[in-house]
Amino acid sequence: MKVAVVGATGMVGEVMLQVLAERDFPISELLLVASERSVGKTLEYKGEKHTVIGLADAVAAQPDIAIFSAGGDTSLEWAPKFAEVGTTVIDNSSAWRMDPTKKLVVPEINASELTAEDKIIANPNCSTIQLVMVLDPLHKKYGMKRVVVSTYQSVSGTGLKAVQQMENEAAGIEGDMAYPYPINRNALPHCDVFLENGYTKEEMKLAREPQKILDDRTFSVTATAVRIPTAGGHSESVNIEFLNDFELAEVRQLLSETPGVVVQDNTDTNTYPMPMFAHGKDDVFVGRIRRDETQPNTLNMWIVADNLRKGAATNAVQIAEYLVENNLVSNTSEAVS
Ligand SMILES: NC(=O)c1ccc[n+]([C@@H]2O[C@H](COP(=O)([O-])OP(=O)(O)OC[C@H]3O[C@@H](n4cnc5c(N)ncnc54)[C@H](OP(=O)(O)O)[C@@H]3O)[C@@H](O)[C@H]2O)c1
């Protein structure tokens, strides 16, 4: 595959290169793409230096796959230009997620929807991915009615500028601010921009994307998204009301049998998921599984994952792998032979 990584110099882009290398994705030619500010810089992939190029040159090279992590505006403008030359775009921004003509994919759940005609494929929001990885098997078994989620999201979810802000504040250095307030020793109930309904854009992503991925509009999700001063890994407190009752032991068993989900749940040994342990891993970790004693058929739990890996890069690379394995990109047969 001729592969373009758009946004290669960013936080997600860096992890994307790591994940592509770790999984030994079949790359015949790699194009590293970023803004005009970075053109000419060099980055390493598998020990080899690559020069960063601009978007127009990348389109002209007609890659088979372009994985975008360069913000919504870049995706809106450039993903169609890649699609026009036959490239399959996998996009990490929110630009195409709710477009009814585009698929929103978590491979463990709905990769089978993908066809060779899908030229722009959306990767869900990082907080959504870890949530639906756990909701999907439970919904199939007990039928979800309503989900209430509160997130505790790391600064790496905002990008390099936010990580720098937190590091500057911790070191007592004045610098650029990614947030309207200090983030170190603080918690901001404010992820992404506020909308007219009083929710943030991040909260509405969590409310809308799960129905599309699970292909079911019969359940509802409401969210509060909070930014906390952790470097990597998002956490979520999740309350789920089901149509049918459950046994806690069965819930744990079901989740422990779900590919990509790891149960860490033993209060006797203080075992529960934490961002510092999820950091650098591809799995979604779930614990603190307990019955909500205030109403029937309702469960509380705590879900943690690395937002840059399963929340972004790993999920995108899994989509790319699915496309290649199922001959859904233009020159798959050449790459396999
Ligand atoms: N961080 C996460 O946890 C996460 C998770 C899921 C999805 N995402 C999404 O992934 C995208 C990138 O996030 P990030 O955290 O990696 O941000 P970041 O660290 O700020 O990196 C942004 C990247 O986009 C490139 N870029 C910006 N404007 C561009 C333009 N006009 N043309 C070409 N490239 C441009 C930047 O290139 P320069 O270095 O040249 O400026 C850089 O490579 C965003 O859409 C974000 O919503 C992030």
Side-chain angles (χ1 to χ4, degrees), residues 68-81:
F68 268 62
S69 316
D73 292 344
T74 308
S75 295
L76 280 174
E77 184 182 348
W78 288 90
K81 294 180 182 173

Side-chain angles (χ1 to χ4, degrees), residues 6-14 33-39 41 52 55 68-75 77-78 91-94 97 123-127 129 154-161 192 205 227 234 306-309 311-313:
V6 180
T9 51
M11 289 222 72
V12 176
E14 185 184 348
V33 189
S35 78
E36 292 303 320
R37 294 178 290 275
S38 303
V39 169
K41 281 186 187 169
V52 174
L55 279 154
F68 268 62
S69 316
D73 292 344
T74 308
S75 295
E77 184 182 348
W78 288 90
D91 182 39
N92 264 305
S93 81
S94 58
R97 288 181 192 147
N123 213 47
N125 174 253
C126 42
S127 307
I129 293 177
S154 74
V155 293
S156 67
T158 314
L160 279 170
K161 194 176 167 192
D192 210 332
K205 291 172 197 168
R227 191 73 62 191
H234 289 351
D306 185 326
N307 49 297
L308 295 173
R309 290 186 73 100

Side-chain angles (χ1 to χ4, degrees), residues 52-67:
V52 174
I53 62 171
L55 279 154
D57 287 343
V59 173
Q62 303 187 346
D64 301 299
I65 295 176
I67 308 180

Side-chain angles (χ1 to χ4, degrees), residues 127 131 135 144-152 199 203 206-207 210-211 219-225 235-242 290 292 294-295 297-303:
S127 307
L131 180 66
L135 295 187
M144 288 187 308
K145 197 170 159 194
R146 180 167 184 258
V147 180
V148 183
V149 54
S150 299
T151 69
Y152 302 66
Y199 285 81
E203 289 163 349
L206 273 159
Q211 286 96 338
F219 66 89
S220 54
V221 182
T222 186
T224 303
S235 306
E236 296 174 345
S237 164
V238 184
N239 178 273
I240 315 165
E241 183 182 1
F242 295 104
R290 61 213 192 275
D292 177 345
T294 66
Q295 64 175 11
N297 306 347
T298 307
L299 194 62
N300 278 313
M301 56 174 56
W302 177 250
I303 303 170

